[in-house]
C-alpha cells in the first residue's frame, strides 16, 4: 500500500465510496468538505445538514458514550470507505538512482574519462608502433602478447570505479532503509486513547477509523480530524495549520472543529473522528506537498514556505518522513546549526582535498616535462606524425597516475565513516532505550557539559504514594486509621479526590500477585486515589453517581494555575467546587480549615505561616510533595461568574494536606555520579517546592552537603536575572548559572530562560553544550532550544516528543548517561578512522609523487591505489566505526566545541607511522631488487609485464596498513592496542577478510592488478615488515607528546565558524564562494595584525599585572575569584583568562560595533589564542613558554 501514489490512493477511495456510500449516513466527500469550514460556519452547516453532533454520530453508526463496537469487519469496512489513518510515504530512491548519485563524484568522473581514453588508445594501433625512432624504448623489448593486453589497465580502473560506486550506493541504500525503519518505529510508538465497546483503549494512531470516539487531553497531538462532542475548557494551538499563535477555545456550540496536527494546550474532552489519513486537513496539505514528482520541485518551494510549520509539527503522521534524510534536515533547519562534528569534518576534508589536488597536478606536470625534455631535448628525437599516438598514450598514462594520486588523497571514507558510525550507534542506542530522532543529536550528546533534568519521572520512579497527611488538626506521619477521621471530613475528602481528578486516571488491581497496583493516567492523582483506597474507601461509586458529563465546570490543571478545580451542582441546586493543588498556592486561598469534629474554623494568615512551618516544611524536607485538598460552596442564585477565576478560586475551606512520596529511582545516584565524573553538571529543574527539591537533589547526589551551590525558586531566579526594567540580562544569568544546581517552583519559561542563558553564556572558554529533559507540552521551547532535547517516551506528551531529538523509551535518567557514552564513542570512532586514513593518504601520496618524479612511473599502480583506497576507506570505516563504547569513555572531560578533530597525539601517530612506512617502501624501491635478488622494476617500458619487485612493494604497503589498522584502535596513546578486540567481531572479520583478498590479488591478480605471484619467503618478509608496525606503534607511544611542540592540530572549529544559524541562513544565497574566499583573505590580514597587537598588549598587561600582584581591579577575572569557584580545579582546566586593561576593552567594544568580519575575529583571537595558562605558581608561568602562553602563540600565529 505504501508504494501506491497518492492519486491511486484517491481514486481507489472514490471508487469504493461510490459503491458503499449508502451504508453510512454521510459520504467521505461530505465529511471532508465539512471539515474545511471553521468556527461559526461549521456550526451553521452542522445544524442545517445534520442537526447536531449526536446526529452525525448516529449517521456514522457510533455512540458518543460507548464508542464503536470494535468488531473486525466493521473496522475493515470503515477503512475501505473512509480510508486509513496513514499518509502514504514518498517512494524511496531506487538503488539505480543512488548509483547515479554516487557516479556524480568529480574524482570518479575524471577517472572514468581517463580510463576510457586509455581503453580507446589501447585498441588503436598506429602505424608507427614499431618504429624504433618513436618512444624511448627503455628496458627489454616487450613481447606481442603483452601489447595486446594494453586494454586491461583501463578496464581494471573502470571496474574498480564500479566497485566504489556500488559500495557507496549500497551504503546509502541501507542508511535510507534504517532511517525508514526508525521512522516507522516512532510511528508505532505513537498511541492514542479511544473508546471502543465502552472500554477505554489505547491503539496505534494508524488504527484510528472514522466514527471512533477519541479522548483528547492536555498535551496531545491530534491524529485525525473530528468534531468536539463533550469536554471542558479545551484550548487548542492551531498555529501549525493556521499560523495564528493564539489558542483557540473549543466548544460544542461555538467551534467544534478539531483538526489533525494541532496541539491540545489545556483541558480535555471527547471527539468523534470524521476524517483520517489523506482526507484529514494535514493529510490534504501533505498530498499537495507530495503531488506529482515533476511538479514537486516547483511546488515544494511554495508549499515549503507556507507549510513549513505544519510539516514540522506533523512529522509523526508522515509515514516514513518522505524517506529522505535531507527532508528531515530541511524541516529542522531552524532548529540546529550544522552539528559540530560535521563542521569540523567538512573543513578537514576540504583542506585535504585541496592538498591532494595540488600534489596530483604537480605529479602530472613533472612527469610530462621529464618525458618531453628527455625525449626531445636530451635524445634530440624529432616529433614524428606517426609517433603521435604513442606519445599520447604516454601522456594518458601520466594523467592516470596524477588522477590516482588525487583519488588516494581525497578521503571519500570520511562521510561514510560518519554515517556508519552514527547509524550503528543509533541502532544500538535503541537497545539502551534511546530512540534517536535526529542523527546528529547522538554525537552532540558526547560533548554535553550540562544536563538540565526534570525531577518527576526522570530522577524519580513516578509512582506516587501518599505517606503523610494532615487532617483535622492532626499531622499523621503514616496513613491514618479510617476510624480516626471524622465521617463528615472523610466524605468530603473522598468526594473531593474522586470527582476533582481526570476520570481517565485509575488505580487498577495488579497484573501479577504480589505486584504493586497499576497506576493509569496522571500519577499525582493516582497517588491521591491510592490514599482513598488506603483509607478503606472506594472512589468508583462516587464517580458512577457523578459521571463526567454532569460536571458543571472544570478548571483544568495548567502551569499557571498550578491547581485543578471542578464545580458540581448539588441536588439542592447550589454549587460546590473542589480544588486541589500545590499546598502553598491553595493554602493562600483558604480562609477556613476543617477541625477534628469536621467543622470549619477560621484560618488566618498567621495560622497559615505556622502550618507551613510545622507541617509543610517538615514534609518537604523529607522529600515529599505537598498537595492541599479544599472545597467551597456557592449559592444557587445569583449564579457566580465562572469566568472570573480570581473570585471563584478564593475563600476556600481546607480539607487536608497530604505528603506524596515519589521515590528516587535506584539507579539514578550512580548515573549522576558518572555524569559528574565525566565533567557534566547535572541541574534539576522542577515545579516542586524548594525543600522537596533540595531533599531529592541530595538523595540523587546532585548536591552534596557542604558544597558551594545555589538552590533557587523560580521567583527568586527571575528577580536575580532581570534588571530594573524587567528585562533579562545575560551578565546576571552568568553570575548565577555556574553555581545553580536546583531550580524549584519553576515555570516552563524559566526552564527556557535558564537553557538559553547557559547556551549563550560566554562565561567559560568553551560554549556550553546543554541537554534538557522534558515531558510536558510546555517544555517544548526548552527542548527545542537545547542542543539535545530528551523527551519521555512514557510520560511525555506528543508535543514534547515532537520538539525533542531523542526519546527516552523508559523515562530513565540512566539512559541519558548511555547516550553520553555513545555520543563520545561516535566522536572517538571517527578520530580513529581519521588517524588510520590520513596515514594511508600521506604515505600513498608521497610514494606515488616521489616515485613518479624519480622513476617516471608510480610504484603503486592506478588499480592498486584504488584497491587500497577502497579497502582502506570503506572497510576500515566499517571496522573502526563500529567499536562498542566502554565505560572508560566516561572518565574524561567533554571535548568541547573547539577541540580539534586530530589531537596532537593523533598527529604524532600519523606522522610517526608515515615515517616508518615511507622509509621501508623507499628502501624496497631502490635497493629491494638487491635484497631479494630479483629484477628491478624501475624504468620498465610502457606495457611491460608486472615485476615481482613492484608486487613486493604493493604487498608490503597493504600489510603495513592492515597492522596499522590495529594500531588505530586507540587514539589517546594507550599501550594495549588489542584491548577488547574480540568484542568487535566486525573488526576481526574485516581485517582477516582484507588479508584473504590481498592473497588472491597478489597470487592471481596478474596483469589487471600489475601483480606477479610471490614465493612464500617473499610473503613472509612482507608480513614481517607489516608486523613491524605494531612494534613501531609502541615506540611512538613512548615519545611524550608534550615534547613535540611543532605538531599542529587540524580540523578545529574556530568561533568564527559558529555564527548563529539564523544569520547564516539569510546570507547563504547571496555570498558565493569566490567572494567568501576574498573576504577570507582580508580577514586573515586583519587577523594577523590583530593577533600581533593583542599578543604584545597581553604580554605587557601580564608583566605589569604580575608586579602589581595581580590585584588590578580591571583584570576582569582575578585569580582570587577563581579560587573561590569550587567547580574549576585550576590544574584540570587551565582556564585562559585574558588580563586586559580598560583601554583594550574600549577598543574591543568599538570593534564589535563595526560588525565587520574582523570584529567577530577579534572576539576570539584576543581572548583565546593569547590566553595565559594560570598555573598556581604565577612567577613560573610568566617565563615558561607553555603552549598557551603569549610568547609561544606569537611564534605560531606569525
Amino acid at each position: 500500500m505504501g508504494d501506491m501514489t497518492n492519486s491511486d490512493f484517491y481514486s481507489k477511495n472514490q471508487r469504493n465510496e461510490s459503491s458503499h456510500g449508502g451504508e453510512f449516513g454521510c459520504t467521505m466527500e461530505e465529511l471532508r468538505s465539512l471539515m474545511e469550514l471553521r468556527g461559526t460556519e461549521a456550526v451553521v452547516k452542522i445544524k442545517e445538514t445534520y442537526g447536531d453532533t449526536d446526529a452525525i454520530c448516529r449517521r456514522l453508526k457510533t455512540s458518543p458514550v460507548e464508542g464503536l463496537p470494535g468488531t473486525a469487519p466493521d473496522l475493515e469496512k470503515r477503512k475501505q470507505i473512509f480510508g486509513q489513518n496513514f499518509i502514504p510515504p514518498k517512494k524511496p530512491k531506487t538503488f539505480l538512482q543512488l548509483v547515479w548519485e554516487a557516479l556524480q563524484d568529480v574524482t570518479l568522473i575524471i577517472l572514468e574519462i581517463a580510463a576510457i581514453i586509455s581503453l580507446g588508445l589501447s585498441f588503436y594501433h598506429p602505424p608507427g608502433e614499431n618504429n624504433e625512432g618513436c618512444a624511448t624504448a627503455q628496458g627489454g623489448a616487450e613481447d606481442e602478447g603483452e601489447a595486446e593486453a594494453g586494454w586491461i589497465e583501463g578496464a581494471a580502473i573502470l571496474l574498480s570505479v564500479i566497485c566504489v560506486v556500488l559500495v557507496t550506493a549500497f551504503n546509502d541504500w541501507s542508511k535510507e532503509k534504517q532511517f525508514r525503519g526508525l521512522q516507522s518505529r516512532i510511528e508505532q510508538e505513537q498511541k492514542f486513547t479511544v473508546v471502543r465497546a465502552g472500554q477505554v483503549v489505547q491503539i496505534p494512531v494508524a488504527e484510528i477509523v472514522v466514527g471512533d470516539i477519541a479522548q483528547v487531553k492536555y498535551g496531545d497531538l491530534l491524529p485525525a480530524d473530528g468534531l468536539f462532542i463533550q469536554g471542558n475548557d479545551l484550548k487548542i494551538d492551531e498555529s501549525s495549520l493556521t499560523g495564528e499563535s493564539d489558542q483557540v477555545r473549543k466548544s460544542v456550540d461555538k467551534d467544534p472543529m478539531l483538526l489533525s496536527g494541532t496541539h491540545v494546550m489545556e483541558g480535555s474532552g471527547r471527539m468523534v473522528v470524521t476524517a483520517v489519513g489523506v482526507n484529514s486537513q494535514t493529510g490534504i496539505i501533505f498530498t499537495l506537498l507530495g503531488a506529482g514528482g515533476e511538479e514537486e520541485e516547483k511546488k515544494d518551494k511554495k508549499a515549503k514556505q507556507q507549510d513549513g510549520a505544519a510539516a514540522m509539527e506533523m512529522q509523526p503522521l508522515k509515514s516514513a518522513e518522505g524517506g529522505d534524510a535531507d527532508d528531515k534536515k530541511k524541516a529542522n533547519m531552524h532548529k540546529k546549526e550544522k552539528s559540530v562534528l560535521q563542521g569540523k569534518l567538512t573543513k578537514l576534508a576540504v583542506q585535504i582535498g585541496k592538498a591532494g589536488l595540488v600534489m596530483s597536478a604537480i605529479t602530472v606536470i613533472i612527469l610530462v616535462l621529464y618525458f618531453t625534455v628527455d625525449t626531445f631535448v636530451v635524445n634530440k628525437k624529432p616529433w614524428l606524425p606517426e609517433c603521435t599516438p604513442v606519445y599520447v598514450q604516454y601522456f594518458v598514462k601520466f594523467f592516470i597516475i596524477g588522477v590516482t594520486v588525487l583519488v588516494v588523497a581525497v578521503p571519500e571514507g570520511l562521510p561514510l565513516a560518519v554515517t556508519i558510525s552514527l547509524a550503528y550507534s543509533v541502532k544500538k542506542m535503541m537497545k539502551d532505550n534511546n530512540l534517536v530522532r535526529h542523527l546528529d543529536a547522538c554525537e552532540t550528546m558526547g560533548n554535553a557539559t550540562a544536563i538540565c533534568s526534570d525531577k518527576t519521572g526522570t530522577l524519580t520512579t513516578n509512582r506516587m504514594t501518599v505517606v503523610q497527611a494532615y487532617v483535622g488538626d492532626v499531622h499523621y506521619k503514616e496513613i491514618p486509621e479510617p476510624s480516626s477521621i471524622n465521617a463528615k471530613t472523610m466524605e468530603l475528602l473522598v468526594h473531593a479526590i474522586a470527582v476533582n481528578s481526570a476520570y481517565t486516571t485509575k488505580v487498577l488491581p495488579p497484573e501479577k500477585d504480589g505486584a504493586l497496583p497499576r497506576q493509569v493516567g496522571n500519577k499525582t492523582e493516582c497517588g491521591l486515589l491510592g490514599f482513598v483506597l488506603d483509607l478503606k474507601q472506594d472512589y468508583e461509586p462516587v464517580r458512577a453517581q457523578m459521571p463526567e458529563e454532569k460536571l458543571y465546570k472544570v478548571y483544568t490543571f495548567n502551569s499557571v494555575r498550578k491547581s485543578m478545580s471542578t464545580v458540581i451542582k448539588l441536588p439542592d441546586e447550589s454549587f460546590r467546587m473542589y480544588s486541589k493543588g500545590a499546598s502553598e498556592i491553595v493554602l493562600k486561598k483558604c480562609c477556613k480549615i476543617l477541625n477534628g469534629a469536621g467543622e470549619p474554623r477560621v484560618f488566618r494568615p498567621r495560622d497559615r505561616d505556622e502550618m507551613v512551618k510545622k507541617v509543610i516544611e517538615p514534609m518537604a524536607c523529607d522529600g515529599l510533595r505537598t498537595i492541599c485538598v479544599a472545597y467551597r460552596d456557592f449559592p444557587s442564585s445569583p449564579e457566580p461568574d465562572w469566568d472570573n477565576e480570581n473570585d471563584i478560586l478564593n475563600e476556600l475551606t481546607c480539607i487536608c494536606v497530604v505528603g506524596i512520596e515519589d521515590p528516587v529511582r535506584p539507579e539514578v545516584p550512580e548515573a549522576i555520579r558518572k555524569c559528574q565524573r565525566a565533567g557534566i553538571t547535572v541541574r534539576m529543574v522542577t515545579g516542586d517546592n524548594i525543600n522537596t527539591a533540595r531533599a531529592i537533589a541530595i538523595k540523587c547526589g546532585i548536591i552534596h552537603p557542604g558544597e558551594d551551590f545555589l538552590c533557587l525558586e523560580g521567583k527568586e531566579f527571575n528577580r536575580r536575572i532581570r534588571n530594573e526594567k524587567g528585562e533579562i540580562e545575560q551578565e546576571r544569568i552568568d553570575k548565577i548559572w555556574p553555581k545553580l544546581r536546583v531550580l524549584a517552583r519553576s515555570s516552563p519559561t524559566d526552564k527556557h530562560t535558564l537553557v538559553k542563558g547557559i547556551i549563550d553564556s560566554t562565561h567559560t572558554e568553551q560554549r556550553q553544550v546543554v541537554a534538557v529533559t522534558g515531558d510536558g507540552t510546555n517544555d517544548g521551547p526548552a527542548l527545542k532550544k537545547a542542543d539535545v532535547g530528551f523527551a519521555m517516551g512514557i510520560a511525555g506528551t506528543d508535543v514534547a516528543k515532537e520538539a525533542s531529538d531523542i526519546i527516552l523509551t523508559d523515562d530513565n535518567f540512566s539512559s541519558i548517561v548511555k547516550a553520553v557514552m555513545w555520543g563520545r564513542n561516535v566522536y572517538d570512532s571517527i578520530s580513529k578512522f581519521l588517524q588510520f586514513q590520513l596515514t594511508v593518504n600521506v604515505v600513498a601520496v608521497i610514494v606515488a609523487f616521489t616515485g613518479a618524479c624519480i622513476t617516471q612511473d608510480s610504484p603503486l599502480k592506478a588499480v592498486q591505489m584504488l584497491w587500497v583506497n577502497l579497502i582502506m576507506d570503506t572497510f576500515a570505516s566499517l571496522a573502526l566505526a563500529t567499536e562498542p563504547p566502554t565505560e572508560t569513555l566516561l572518565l574524561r572531560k567533554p571535548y568541547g566545541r573547539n577541540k580539534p578533530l586530530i589531537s596532537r597525539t593523533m598527529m604524532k601517530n600519523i606522522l610517526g607511522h608515515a615515517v616508518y612506512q615511507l622509509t621501508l617502501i623507499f628502501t624496497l624501491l631502490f635497493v629491494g631488487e638487491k635484497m631479494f635478488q630479483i629484477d628491478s622494476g624501475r624504468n620498465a617500458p610502457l606495457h611491460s609485464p608486472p615485476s615481482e619487485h613492484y608486487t613486493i612493494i604493493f604487498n608490503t604497503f597493504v600489510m603495513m596498513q592492515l597492522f596499522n589498522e590495529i594500531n588505530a584502535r586507540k587514539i589517546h596513546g594507550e599501550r594495549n592496542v588489542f584491548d577488547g578486540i574480540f568484542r568487535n567481531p566486525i573488526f576481526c572479520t574485516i581485517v582477516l577478510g582484507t588479508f584473504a583478498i590481498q592473497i588472491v590479488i597478489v597470487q592471481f591478480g596478474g596483469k589487471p592488478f600489475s601483480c606477479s605471484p610471490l614465493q612464500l619467503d617473499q610473503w613472509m618478509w612482507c608480513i614481517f615488515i607489516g608486523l613491524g608496525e605494531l612494534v613501531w606503534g609502541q615506540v611512538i607511544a613512548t615519545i611524550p607528546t608534550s615534547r613535540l611542540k611543532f605538531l599542529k592540530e587540524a580540523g578545529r572549529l574556530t568561533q568564527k565558524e559558529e555564527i548563529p544559524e539564523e544569520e547564516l541562513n539569510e546570507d547563504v544565497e547571496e555570498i558565493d564562494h569566490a567572494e567568501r574566499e576574498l573576504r577570507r583573505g582580508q580577514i586573515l590580514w586583519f587577523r594577523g595584525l590583530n593577533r600581533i597587537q593583542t599578543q604584545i598588549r597581553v604580554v605587557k598587561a601580564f608583566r605589569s599585572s604580575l608586579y602589581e600582584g595581580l590585584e588590578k581591579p580591571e583584570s576582569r577575572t582575578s585569580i582570587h575569584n577563581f579560587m573561590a569557584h569550587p567547580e574549576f580545579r585550576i590544574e584540570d582546566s587551565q582556564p585562559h583568562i585574558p588580563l586586559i586593561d580598560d583601554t583594550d576593552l574600549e577598543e574591543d567594544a568599538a570593534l564589535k560595533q563595526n560588525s565587520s568580519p574582523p570584529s567577530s575575529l577579534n572576539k576570539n583571537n584576543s581572548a583565546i589564542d593569547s590566553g595565559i595558562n594560570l598555573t598556581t605558581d604565577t612567577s613560573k608561568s610568566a617565563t615558561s613558554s607553555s603552549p598557551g602562553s603569549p610568547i609561544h602563540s606569537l611564534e605560531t600565529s606569525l
Side-chain angles (χ1 to χ4, degrees), residues 694 698 702-710 1124 1126:
R694 192 186 284 121
I698 290 174
I702 291 179
I703 52 185
H704 302 289
E707 271 184 3
D708 177 22
F709 55 80
L710 285 174

Side-chain angles (χ1 to χ4, degrees), residues 83-283:
Q84 289 183 326
N85 194 21
F86 94 111
I87 291 167
K90 277 210 301 241
K91 282 207 186 90
K93 287 191 181 144
T94 58
F95 190 68
L96 287 174
Q97 281 170 310
L98 292 170
V99 168
W100 177 242
E101 277 175 17
L103 279 170
Q104 311 293 316
D105 188 43
V106 186
T107 40
L108 287 180
I109 293 174
I110 299 177
L111 264 183
E112 285 152 28
I113 294 171
I116 289 166
I117 295 176
S118 157
L119 268 178
L121 286 173
S122 69
F123 288 123
Y124 167 60
H125 290 303
E129 175 84 51
N130 297 326
N131 184 338
E132 282 305 305
C134 291
T136 45
Q138 308 161 321
E142 39 185 299
D143 44 42
E144 282 305 300
E146 289 299 340
E148 295 307 303
W151 58 273
I152 291 184
E153 183 162 37
I157 293 180
L158 279 183
L159 209 101
S160 45
V161 166
I162 291 170
C163 261
V164 173
V165 166
L166 287 178
V167 169
T168 321
F170 178 73
N171 273 304
D172 285 348
W173 179 76
S174 56
K175 178 173 85 185
E176 178 112 326
K177 202 168 113 213
Q178 273 184 343
F179 190 71
R180 298 201 152 226
L182 177 73
Q183 219 30 45
S184 61
R185 159 112 194 236
I186 291 181
E187 245 120 79
Q188 287 151 11
E189 297 266 309
Q190 212 194 353
K191 295 226 181 345
F192 209 79
T193 316
V194 297
V195 180
R196 285 197 178 162
Q199 289 291 315
V200 178
V201 287
Q202 286 219 322
I203 57 169
V205 169
E207 296 294 313
I208 292 177
V209 292
V210 171
D212 257 327
I213 303 294
Q215 292 198 338
V216 296
K217 59 179 187 313
Y218 157 81
D220 281 341
L221 177 74
L222 298 181
D225 293 354
L227 295 173
F228 186 49
I229 314 177
Q230 160 274 320
N232 32 55
D233 215 8
L234 192 66
K235 285 192 189 155
I236 298 221
D237 168 15
E238 292 189 348
S239 59
S240 58
L241 283 180
T242 59
E244 292 172 21
S245 55
D246 296 346
Q247 293 175 13
V248 187
R249 262 203 117 99
K250 296 289 177 188
S251 60
V252 183
D253 43 1
K254 298 225 176 55
D255 181 1
M257 314 307 269
L258 299 177
L259 305 171
S260 57
T262 56
H263 295 138
V264 182
M265 297 316 276
E266 59 179 85
S268 59
R270 290 181 170 197
M271 70 169 186
V272 55
V273 177
T274 54
V276 292
V278 267
N279 304 310
S280 66
Q281 290 306 300
T282 320

Side-chain angles (χ1 to χ4, degrees), residues 674-919:
K674 281 184 189 160
C675 280
Q676 287 162 344
R677 220 179 30 223
I680 302 171
T681 314
V682 182
R683 295 184 173 81
M684 181 162 101
V685 183
T686 173
D688 257 351
N689 162 324
I690 187 146
N691 296 324
T692 314
R694 192 186 284 121
I696 299 267
I698 290 174
K699 280 184 193 165
C700 292
I702 291 179
I703 52 185
H704 302 289
E707 271 184 3
D708 177 22
F709 55 80
L710 285 174
C711 292
L712 293 180
E713 285 205 346
K715 275 197 195 126
E716 171 68 3
F717 173 69
N718 273 312
R719 198 182 57 73
R720 290 199 189 188
I721 61 172
R722 293 173 193 274
N723 57 16
E724 295 70 45
K725 297 183 199 138
E727 296 155 355
I728 296 174
E729 286 189 358
Q730 186 63 43
E731 296 88 77
R732 290 175 182 241
I733 298 184
D734 285 352
K735 288 203 183 83
I736 293 177
W737 73 257
K739 288 190 184 179
L740 182 69
R741 290 291 177 277
V742 175
L743 183 59
R745 281 276 171 252
S746 67
S747 67
T749 36
D750 294 342
K751 194 174 193 174
H752 182 247
T753 311
L754 175 67
V755 172
K756 189 172 180 308
I758 298 182
I759 288 181
D760 296 346
S761 169
T762 48
H763 178 84
T764 47
E765 77 184 295
Q766 299 280 11
R767 153 163 145 36
Q768 295 275 317
V769 178
V770 183
V772 168
T773 66
D775 50 5
T777 308
N778 42 27
D779 291 328
L783 289 169
K784 267 205 158 68
K785 177 68 193 164
D787 294 283
V788 183
F790 284 93
M792 300 299 143
I794 305 167
T797 55
D798 299 340
V799 184
K801 289 181 190 172
E802 263 317 277
S804 69
D805 301 291
I806 298 182
I807 297 173
L808 292 180
T809 47
D810 62 347
D811 289 12
N812 192 336
F813 185 83
S814 58
S815 303
I816 299 180
V817 182
K818 293 254 175 54
V820 172
M821 206 154 82
W822 277 107
R824 293 185 171 192
N825 191 48
V826 168
Y827 202 96
D828 278 8
S829 297
I830 287 160
S831 298
K832 286 172 192 175
F833 173 68
L834 267 175
Q835 174 177 311
F836 173 70
Q837 166 83 43
L838 291 178
T839 316
V840 181
N841 284 5
V842 169
V843 176
V845 169
I846 293 177
V847 167
F849 175 72
T850 43
C853 298
I854 298 169
T855 66
Q856 277 74 68
D857 178 13
S858 163
L860 298 172
K861 299 288 181 285
V863 185
Q864 296 174 350
M865 289 276 218
L866 279 170
W867 157 238
V868 168
N869 207 31
L870 181 80
I871 57 161
M872 296 316 166
D873 278 9
T874 318
F875 297 154
S877 62
L878 249 176
L880 291 167
T882 51
E883 289 269 311
T886 55
E887 288 282 327
T888 47
L889 287 170
L890 293 176
L891 296 176
R892 62 171 176 77
K893 298 268 175 287
Y895 281 143
R897 292 178 92 88
N898 5 8
K899 161 137 183 3
L901 261 180
I902 299 175
S903 61
R904 281 210 166 149
T905 315
M906 286 166 60
M907 212 54 165
K908 175 184 77 176
N909 291 343
I910 291 171
L911 294 177
H913 287 294
V915 167
Y916 174 82
Q917 295 183 10
L918 286 171
T919 317

